[in-house]
Amino acid sequence: MKPNLYRLLKQDIELICYHKTGKTNSHNIKCILSPSFICTTIYRFSHSFYKLKIPILPRIIWWINFLLFKVDLDHRAELYGALYLPHPMMIVIGKDVKVRGTAKIMQGVTIGGNLGKTEIIENEVFTQPVIHGSVFIGANSLIFGPIWLTGRVFVSAQAVCSKNFENSLIFGTNQSRATLQQHENELY
């Protein structure tokens, strides 16, 4: 399914409203005016112009996000799931990152490549993380790829993740265990 700007923004606002109010009411003005939604919307427009192959404009819009929020959400990243950035500050997401599903990403998170490492799967080259499922990424965490986070994954604050995980709580450096109910509550 091709990404649709309206559908993605609707998913974003529903996820934001769910975390702010416990409901997925997309008409809640508090959710629409939240810094998270504004930051995500700026990224979505930048990415849309990039997909339309309009030169320079995606980068100019990227600069707006960088100046307003100090985030580096690369316009080439494929963030095709619902995004919630509760505190959109100092977040870096690299150009080849792929997100499908829902992601709650806290401040100070870096998601990107791992010194040029690559992995080839079914004739496709991967250089950065691929995230499928419902994911919470805690403050100041580092996720370096090419790796896959799939299912329901909770990355604790200040964790370093450089290998594949599925349905796990990730903490420390590549350590994991089963998630507890309090972790599940943060997942959508």
Side-chain angles (χ1 to χ4, degrees):
M1 175 170 50
K2 290 185 87 170
N4 170 289
L5 179 62
Y6 174 77
R7 181 182 54 79
L8 290 171
L9 289 171
K10 187 173 186 317
Q11 288 176 348
D12 293 337
I13 199 68
E14 286 175 356
L15 181 63
I16 292 166
C17 284
Y18 172 78
H19 281 287
K20 284 187 171 289
T21 68
K23 302 174 187 160
T24 59
N25 179 2
S26 61
H27 300 292
N28 186 317
I29 195 73
K30 180 180 177 183
C31 300
I32 291 170
L33 294 178
S34 74
S36 176
F37 186 65
I38 295 167
C39 179
T40 302
T41 300
I42 293 169
Y43 157 76
R44 297 264 185 236
F45 276 101
S46 178
H47 182 73
S48 294
F49 289 127
Y50 167 73
K51 295 304 271 184
L52 292 171
K53 299 185 183 339
I54 297 173
I56 302 172
L57 192 54
R59 193 66 174 169
I60 292 170
I61 296 171
W62 172 90
W63 268 105
I64 293 169
N65 228 357
F66 183 76
L67 292 172
L68 287 176
F69 296 104
K70 294 296 183 229
V71 297
D72 180 357
L73 308 179
D74 196 296
H75 58 274
R76 296 165 292 185
E78 295 180 2
L79 311 180
Y80 294 160
L83 290 178
Y84 178 35
L85 314 172
H87 309 287
M89 299 173 278
M90 307 305 293
I91 298 171
V92 178
I93 298 179
K95 71 180 183 105
D96 293 324
V97 172
K98 294 175 179 23
V99 174
R100 309 294 189 275
T102 62
K104 181 176 180 180
I105 302 172
M106 302 305 284
Q107 67 275 12
V109 168
T110 298
I111 306 172
N114 191 352
L115 299 174
K117 290 182 182 176
T118 61
E119 194 164 326
I120 300 172
I121 297 178
E122 296 178 10
N123 295 324
E124 188 174 353
V125 178
F126 292 92
T127 60
Q128 296 191 358
V130 176
I131 299 170
H132 282 273
S134 181
V135 178
F136 172 90
I137 303 172
N140 301 314
S141 295
L142 308 173
I143 300 176
F144 299 122
I147 63 164
W148 285 258
L149 299 180
T150 56
R152 299 177 65 76
V153 176
F154 185 99
V155 180
S156 70
Q158 299 182 348
V160 177
C161 180
S162 61
K163 66 181 194 176
N164 301 338
F165 287 98
E166 180 177 356
N167 296 322
S168 300
L169 162 66
I170 302 166
F171 61 97
T173 301
N174 290 323
Q175 299 176 49
S176 71
R177 65 181 169 113
T179 56
L180 302 173
Q181 188 58 49
Q182 66 223 35
H183 305 115
E184 290 290 329
N185 292 343
E186 287 297 324
L187 302 172
Y188 182 66

